[in-house]
Amino acid sequence: GVLVLALAIGLPLGLLVGSSDDDAAALAATSPNGAPTRLPTSSGGGGTSSGGGSFPTDDNSRPVSSPTYQNPAPVNRVPIKCLPDDYRIDALTSGICSGGLRREELYLRTLRQVSAQSLLTNPSRPQGKAYAFLVNYDPYFQGSCSVTGLKERFILMTLFFATNGEYWSLLAGWCGGTDHCGWSGVSCSSGAVTGIDLATNNLSGTIPEEIFALSQLQRLNMFANSLLGTIPNLSLLYHLKEIDLQNNLLTGPAFPTSLPNGLTSYKITGNTLDGTIPTSIDKWTQLQTLWAGKNQISGTIPTQFGKLNRLTSLYLYENGLQGSVPSQLGNVLLQEIWLSNNFFAQEIPESLMFLGSLKLFRLENNVFSGSLSTWIGLLTNLQDLRVNDNNIEGTVPVQLAQLTDLSKYSTMSEQLVCWRVTAHF
């Protein structure tokens, strides 16, 4: 990167220039009762392609946390038909299985371990449709008394009907006569479902509670769909490591008590989830990535975050969080901190200036006060620094010139001189 030095006149550090020349400046002010206030910029603090910025991507280079990301448009095609219009929930044909049970009775007894009988026998509910499919219309189980894999196949078909699977973008194998481990978006190990990957697949509706019975599930990815309702009870999924429910329409608690403690990645950015971050977050000792931006989370950041020794990426931008940023975050080897567009106040903890691993440090559009510590020169891996639109005073530390990797978006101004760090590659 190249450090560009430009002259400016009378620009206090509290009104730092935004991430591009034409960004709207935010207003940092004081309310009549003396409490600090701020008005967020119209840009929402996120990167866009038109503004010269970027946003984090996953391994497939999909946008995963852009505030301007739009869910894919509905797919205009003829929907798949898994059930006939006149489908029946009672058995069309029957057979006697071991123990003298009719086949449909055996299925019902097995599936009652997963779902209530009142749902299984209700033809208008997703569970009833899944049961009807397995009993009467599934080529894979047709006429069979075997219940091997029956519960997992039932759960997947319940998910299918609960999220309007007929209109999914990709659904190869679903409703067909093949093993469900070969269905599009389903991964298995030793015959057990370990992964559900249905990102950007035009899902709409709710995630069924029955998913709790996929006991070997390790990964749940439903990024960028139109899912409604709340995050289901996943507490019994002891092997679950990754949850990605970003960019949906989910409501309810962002951190329900029914989440497993073994998560390594929890991504819920871009919903309308609310509530507070519980102090019990310290039980998530394996957590590496927490992306919960663009929701309605309130309260403060618990000091217990300092116990999450594996955490490397923390995104809490565009929420209603307030208070001070706990100094305990300095105990964690974070590489990314994104807290913009909240109501954080007081000084930026000096302990964060010793995070040599930090690459992204975004605190813009809050009400931080005090001055920018000269210790910032220790953040030698820093690439993206934004502290604009706060109540920070003083001058830009000359130590910023030591940060040779600081190459993206970082625009800062002092009283007489405006420093802009830009990229030339």
Side-chain angles (χ1 to χ4, degrees):
V2 179
L3 185 66
V4 179
L5 196 65
L7 292 179
I9 299 176
L11 294 176
L13 188 56
L15 287 175
L16 300 176
V17 182
S19 63
S20 64
D21 293 335
D22 56 356
D23 276 346
L27 175 63
T30 302
S31 65
N33 62 5
T37 61
R38 65 112 177 104
L39 295 177
T41 61
S42 58
S43 64
T48 65
S49 57
S50 60
S54 66
F55 36 76
T57 59
D58 66 4
D59 294 338
N60 296 319
S61 298
R62 285 197 315 257
V64 293
S65 59
S66 167
T68 57
Y69 182 83
Q70 298 296 321
N71 285 348
V75 177
N76 294 319
R77 59 169 177 75
V78 178
I80 188 173
K81 297 287 288 186
C82 294
L83 292 173
D85 293 335
D86 58 348
Y87 72 89
R88 294 175 55 180
I89 202 163
D90 55 314
L92 296 177
T93 60
S94 187
I96 303 300
C97 301
S98 60
L101 286 176
R102 294 196 306 271
R103 188 170 64 91
E104 63 272 20
E105 291 176 337
L106 175 63
Y107 282 20
L108 194 60
R109 174 180 291 187
T110 303
L111 298 179
R112 279 203 304 261
Q113 303 171 30
V114 176
S115 192
Q117 182 164 332
S118 59
L119 297 175
L120 292 168
T121 56
N122 187 336
S124 65
R125 299 298 297 268
Q127 296 85 350
K129 292 179 180 179
Y131 173 68
F133 173 76
L134 293 173
V135 170
N136 292 323
Y137 306 102
D138 185 359
Y140 189 74
F141 274 113
Q142 193 169 27
S144 172
C145 285
S146 172
V147 293
T148 303
L150 180 68
K151 286 190 288 188
E152 290 197 334
R153 199 172 180 90
F154 166 76
I155 295 166
L156 292 173
M157 288 307 301
T158 298
L159 172 65
F160 179 89
F161 289 115
T163 58
N164 292 293
E166 300 92 331
Y167 297 92
W168 288 359
S169 304
L170 300 173
L171 38 70
W174 291 78
C175 300
T178 59
D179 189 322
H180 53 266
C181 288
W183 292 356
S184 176
V186 178
S187 303
C188 292
S189 177
S190 301
V193 175
T194 57
I196 296 178
D197 296 281
L198 297 172
T200 59
N201 204 39
N202 205 41
L203 278 67
S204 60
T206 60
I207 305 173
E209 292 288 339
E210 284 77 5
I211 204 167
F212 83 90
L214 294 176
S215 60
Q216 300 302 308
L217 191 66
Q218 300 175 21
R219 184 179 61 260
L220 178 63
N221 182 3
M222 296 182 177
F223 163 80
N225 286 288
S226 298
L227 294 171
L228 301 166
T230 59
I231 298 172
N233 185 340
L234 304 174
S235 60
L236 297 180
L237 298 181
Y238 303 116
H239 299 282
L240 188 61
K241 300 297 181 183
E242 302 173 19
I243 297 176
D244 191 342
L245 299 175
Q246 296 180 100
N247 290 12
N248 278 285
L249 305 171
L250 297 171
T251 56
F255 296 89
T257 57
S258 56
L259 289 173
N261 292 331
L263 291 175
T264 61
S265 179
Y266 185 50
K267 299 179 181 180
I268 53 172
T269 289
N271 286 281
T272 15
L273 297 164
D274 54 27
T276 59
I277 305 174
T279 56
S280 58
I281 193 80
D282 60 358
K283 295 181 180 178
W284 294 14
T285 55
Q286 305 301 310
L287 192 65
Q288 300 172 22
T289 302
L290 174 56
W291 290 2
K294 293 199 70 179
N295 281 290
Q296 298 176 3
I297 304 169
S298 58
T300 61
I301 298 179
T303 59
Q304 285 79 2
F305 266 92
K307 299 180 181 179
L308 302 182
N309 297 326
R310 297 173 183 255
L311 189 65
T312 60
S313 185
L314 177 62
Y315 290 2
L316 295 172
Y317 64 88
E318 290 190 50
N319 279 290
L321 293 163
Q322 56 186 319
S324 61
V325 173
S327 60
Q328 287 82 354
L329 282 181
N331 300 334
V332 185
L333 296 178
L334 284 161
Q335 297 179 18
E336 299 177 316
I337 300 177
W338 192 349
L339 305 178
S340 58
N341 288 82
N342 281 287
F343 299 92
F344 292 115
Q346 302 184 32
E347 295 189 9
I348 300 171
E350 199 162 83
S351 62
L352 301 184
M353 303 303 163
F354 296 90
L355 289 175
S357 56
L358 203 58
K359 296 179 181 180
L360 181 144
F361 195 22
R362 295 192 55 174
L363 305 177
E364 74 268 29
N365 285 298
N366 281 286
V367 283
F368 287 109
S369 58
S371 59
L372 200 58
S373 172
T374 57
W375 291 109
I376 199 167
L378 297 176
L379 302 180
T380 54
N381 288 306
L382 200 59
Q383 300 173 10
D384 188 341
L385 170 65
R386 308 189 208 186
V387 294
N388 51 286
D389 302 300
N390 280 286
N391 294 332
I392 300 174
E393 299 176 343
T395 58
V396 175
V398 296
Q399 287 81 2
L400 278 176
Q402 303 171 14
L403 307 183
T404 56
D405 287 338
L406 195 60
S407 58
K408 291 183 180 179
Y409 310 110
S410 302
T411 304
M412 311 190 67
S413 55
E414 60 175 341
Q415 290 180 351
L416 295 176
V417 178
C418 172
W419 299 38
R420 181 170 185 181
V421 182
T422 185
H424 294 279
F425 299 109

